[in-house]
């Protein structure tokens, strides 16, 4: 930490980060390390953890041999370092959690070599209208977390069960894309009167599956179970802790809209939200939350305004439908050729 209590580059000298030097996939292969999370957004407080994200080149054996490296995760320090190959794929999809690595404040890069600098110089190659759906999808997930949590607290049991039902049904729309098709059977969800004396109504499922992969069925059941389980935690909830999480979700919801609008309107990635710093902190500090845990109408009016601004930016943006894949491929080949020819 420096005198202002903010992380600086000496952070990497801490022995907890020795794995960056010693792991065979990292070391000289690392091209970029930067702060992530609240420090990179400018929304950190005294309880904020330090998160680090980075990029490491694939080794020669990954490119022309039989080894494979996607990412390194160190849970103790909350550090994730992506392989060059994986980060390029994520950036092409304008993935919010990784595209923000290309728009940090200069002081938030803890390590940056020449190839890392070249990647930053080519950040515009990855920007496209895909940001509408990628950032919009992440924002929708944050909004659903808010709605689900508030529903658990304020709805009578009958309405809570309907809310759970709609959440599970929405999740099922994604199953067709991730799992085997339902050609050999069907799953039907519905709400009916419960035989459980503690429940007025209950979600039921009619399952008729034949010759269906067990692993896919396990994953489907697990996703539905996780949604129900999250609701059932209401009896064990810590209100102060949960309110802090709600406010953090609300803050990130607005932040995602701000970043997406910048990308679409200006073709720029601004991870640190200097202009909106006070607004985001006020949301995180609970200034838009009422005593009963719900949010004031001003928050939803603000949210509606940003939703409309994103829709307008999506219509008027000068960004292409797809990123410049040919230019990205040329850059990737140039970097990987140096790896293969031992120029790194």
């Amino acid at each position: 930490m420096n005198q202002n209590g903010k992380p600086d580059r000496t952070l990497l000298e801490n022995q907890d980060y020795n794995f960056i030097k010693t792991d065979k996939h990292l070391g000289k292969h690392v091209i970029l390390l930067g702060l992530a999370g609240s420090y990179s957004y400018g929304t950190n407080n005294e309880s904020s953890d330090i998160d680090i994200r980075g990029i490491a080149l694939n080794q020669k054996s990954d490119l022309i041999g039989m080894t494979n490296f996607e990412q390194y995760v160190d849970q103790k320090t909350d550090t994730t370092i992506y392989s060059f190959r994986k980060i390029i794929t994520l950036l092409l999809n304008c993935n919010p959690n990784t595209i923000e690595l290309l728009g940090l404040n200069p002081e938030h890069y803890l390590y940056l070599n020449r190839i890392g600098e070249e990647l930053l110089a080519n950040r515009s190659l990855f920007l496209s209208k895909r940001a509408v759906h990628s950032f919009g999808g992440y924002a929708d997930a944050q909004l659903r977390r808010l709605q689900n949590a508030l529903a658990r607290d304020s709805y009578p049991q009958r309405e809570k069960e309907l809310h759970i039902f709609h959440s599970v049904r929405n999740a099922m729309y994604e199953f067709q894309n991730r799992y085997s098709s339902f050609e050999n059977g069907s799953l039907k969800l519905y709400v009916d009167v419960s035989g459980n004396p503690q429940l007025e109504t209950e979600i039921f499922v009619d399952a008729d599956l034949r010759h269906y992969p067990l692993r896919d069925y396990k994953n489907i059941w697990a996703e539905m179970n996780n949604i129900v389980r999250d609701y059932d935690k209401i009896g064990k909830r810590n209100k102060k802790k949960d309110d802090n999480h709600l406010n953090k979700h609300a803050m990130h919801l607005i932040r995602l809209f701000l970043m997406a609008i910048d990308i679409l309107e200006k073709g720029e990635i601004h991870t640190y939200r200097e202009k909106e710093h006070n607004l985001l902190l006020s949301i995180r500090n609970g200034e838009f939350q009422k005593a009963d845990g719900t949010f004031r109408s001003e928050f939803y009016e603000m949210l509606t305004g940003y939703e409309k601004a994103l829709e307008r930016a999506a219509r008027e943006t000068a960004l292409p439908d797809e990123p410049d894949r040919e230019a990205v491929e040329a850059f990737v080949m140039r970097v990987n050729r140096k790896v293969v020819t031992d120029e790194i």
Side-chain angles (χ1 to χ4, degrees), residues 52-117:
I52 293 179
R53 299 293 178 267
I55 306 169
L57 296 178
N58 291 91
Q59 300 178 75
K60 183 193 297 188
S61 58
D62 298 331
L63 301 174
I64 59 175
M66 298 178 64
T67 61
N68 184 49
F69 168 60
E70 287 200 349
Q71 65 184 45
Y72 184 102
V73 178
D74 182 75
Q75 295 182 344
K76 180 181 179 181
T77 60
D78 202 353
T79 298
T80 300
I81 300 178
Y82 301 95
S83 75
F84 187 64
R85 177 181 291 163
K86 181 169 184 176
I87 199 75
I88 292 296
T89 300
L90 292 170
L91 293 175
L92 284 170
N93 289 321
C94 212
N95 175 277
N97 286 339
T98 52
I99 203 78
E100 64 187 31
L101 260 179
L102 304 187
L104 301 181
N105 274 3
E107 65 270 22
H108 291 157
Y109 288 107
L110 305 177
Y111 174 77
L112 196 62
N113 70 6
R114 185 171 49 81
I115 296 177
E117 291 174 347

Side-chain angles (χ1 to χ4, degrees), residues 129 131-133 260-261 264-265 305-321:
K129 292 180 182 177
V132 177
H133 304 292
I261 292 168
L264 293 167
E265 287 185 347
Y306 283 125
E307 287 175 332
K308 291 180 179 179
L310 180 61
E311 291 173 0
R312 182 174 62 253
R315 289 194 305 269
E316 299 175 359
T317 184
L319 291 180
D321 292 337

Side-chain angles (χ1 to χ4, degrees), residues 148-155 160 234 237 239 242-243 246 292-293:
N148 288 353
L150 294 175
R152 291 199 306 265
D153 287 351
S154 58
Y155 290 2
K160 286 181 183 177
I234 180 59
R237 101 185 200 98
K239 187 178 187 302
D242 287 356
D243 284 350
L246 285 181
D292 63 359

Side-chain angles (χ1 to χ4, degrees), residues 52-326:
I52 293 179
R53 299 293 178 267
I55 306 169
L57 296 178
N58 291 91
Q59 300 178 75
K60 183 193 297 188
S61 58
D62 298 331
L63 301 174
I64 59 175
M66 298 178 64
T67 61
N68 184 49
F69 168 60
E70 287 200 349
Q71 65 184 45
Y72 184 102
V73 178
D74 182 75
Q75 295 182 344
K76 180 181 179 181
T77 60
D78 202 353
T79 298
T80 300
I81 300 178
Y82 301 95
S83 75
F84 187 64
R85 177 181 291 163
K86 181 169 184 176
I87 199 75
I88 292 296
T89 300
L90 292 170
L91 293 175
L92 284 170
N93 289 321
C94 212
N95 175 277
N97 286 339
T98 52
I99 203 78
E100 64 187 31
L101 260 179
L102 304 187
L104 301 181
N105 274 3
E107 65 270 22
H108 291 157
Y109 288 107
L110 305 177
Y111 174 77
L112 196 62
N113 70 6
R114 185 171 49 81
I115 296 177
E117 291 174 347
E118 190 176 356
L119 175 63
L120 296 185
N122 284 284
R123 57 170 68 90
S124 62
L125 299 179
F126 299 95
L127 301 184
S128 71
K129 292 180 182 177
R130 287 192 172 211
V132 177
H133 304 292
S134 61
F135 276 84
Y138 272 66
D140 181 67
Q142 293 288 348
L143 180 58
R144 204 164 92 180
R145 288 188 182 102
L146 282 178
Q147 292 173 328
N148 288 353
L150 294 175
R152 291 199 306 265
D153 287 351
S154 58
Y155 290 2
Q157 192 275 324
R158 178 190 290 269
E159 293 187 38
K160 286 181 183 177
E161 199 72 7
L162 278 174
H163 200 86
I164 300 171
F165 168 71
H166 289 307
S167 293
V168 175
R169 191 176 62 179
N170 288 339
M172 287 186 68
Y173 285 122
E174 300 296 322
F175 292 164
Q176 293 281 35
N177 296 327
R178 286 181 286 169
Y179 306 125
S180 299
S181 65
F182 290 0
E183 294 176 358
N184 296 331
S186 63
L187 286 175
K188 178 184 178 183
L189 290 175
Y190 56 96
V191 177
D192 204 348
V193 177
S194 175
N196 185 337
Q198 296 181 343
L199 300 174
E200 185 179 355
T201 61
E202 189 172 1
I203 301 172
F204 292 87
V205 58
D206 290 342
D208 180 21
L209 298 177
R210 297 174 299 279
H211 199 69
Y212 194 78
L214 175 63
R215 290 175 179 82
D216 286 354
Y217 179 75
K218 176 181 70 69
N219 291 336
I220 290 174
W221 180 88
E223 292 202 34
M224 292 191 291
N225 180 63
N226 286 340
I227 294 172
V228 176
R229 183 188 62 192
D230 286 345
Y231 278 92
D232 288 343
K233 288 180 180 177
I234 180 59
K236 307 179 182 66
R237 101 185 200 98
N238 178 321
K239 187 178 187 302
K240 182 177 180 180
K241 182 178 179 181
D242 287 356
D243 284 350
N244 287 337
H245 285 157
L246 285 181
N247 289 319
K248 197 171 181 180
H249 288 319
M251 178 194 70
H252 283 306
L253 174 59
I254 300 301
R255 180 187 61 79
L256 286 164
F257 278 110
L258 293 169
M259 279 196 68
I261 292 168
D262 275 347
I263 289 173
L264 293 167
E265 287 185 347
K266 307 173 185 176
E268 298 173 353
I269 307 168
H270 295 294
T271 304
Y272 189 88
R273 307 308 311 180
E274 184 171 3
K275 292 182 180 179
E276 302 88 8
H277 175 265
N278 291 338
L279 169 64
L280 293 175
L281 279 183
S282 69
I283 298 172
R284 178 168 188 172
N285 293 334
E287 295 179 23
F288 285 85
Q289 196 175 35
K290 296 190 291 186
D292 63 359
T294 60
F295 285 82
R296 302 200 330 250
S297 59
E298 290 89 341
F299 175 78
Y300 292 105
E301 290 169 3
M302 174 172 55
L303 176 60
T304 299
Y306 283 125
E307 287 175 332
K308 291 180 179 179
L310 180 61
E311 291 173 0
R312 182 174 62 253
R315 289 194 305 269
E316 299 175 359
T317 184
L319 291 180
D321 292 337
E322 295 289 328
D324 191 340
R325 290 181 177 273
E326 289 187 5

Side-chain angles (χ1 to χ4, degrees), residues 8-30:
D8 58 27
R9 298 189 180 193
T10 62
L11 175 70
L12 298 179
E13 297 174 8
N14 187 305
Q15 62 179 3
D16 288 341
Y17 294 95
N18 281 347
F19 64 89
I20 296 177
K21 299 176 183 177
T22 60
D23 186 85
K24 65 178 182 180
H25 297 292
L26 308 179
K28 68 176 184 179
H29 304 288
V30 174

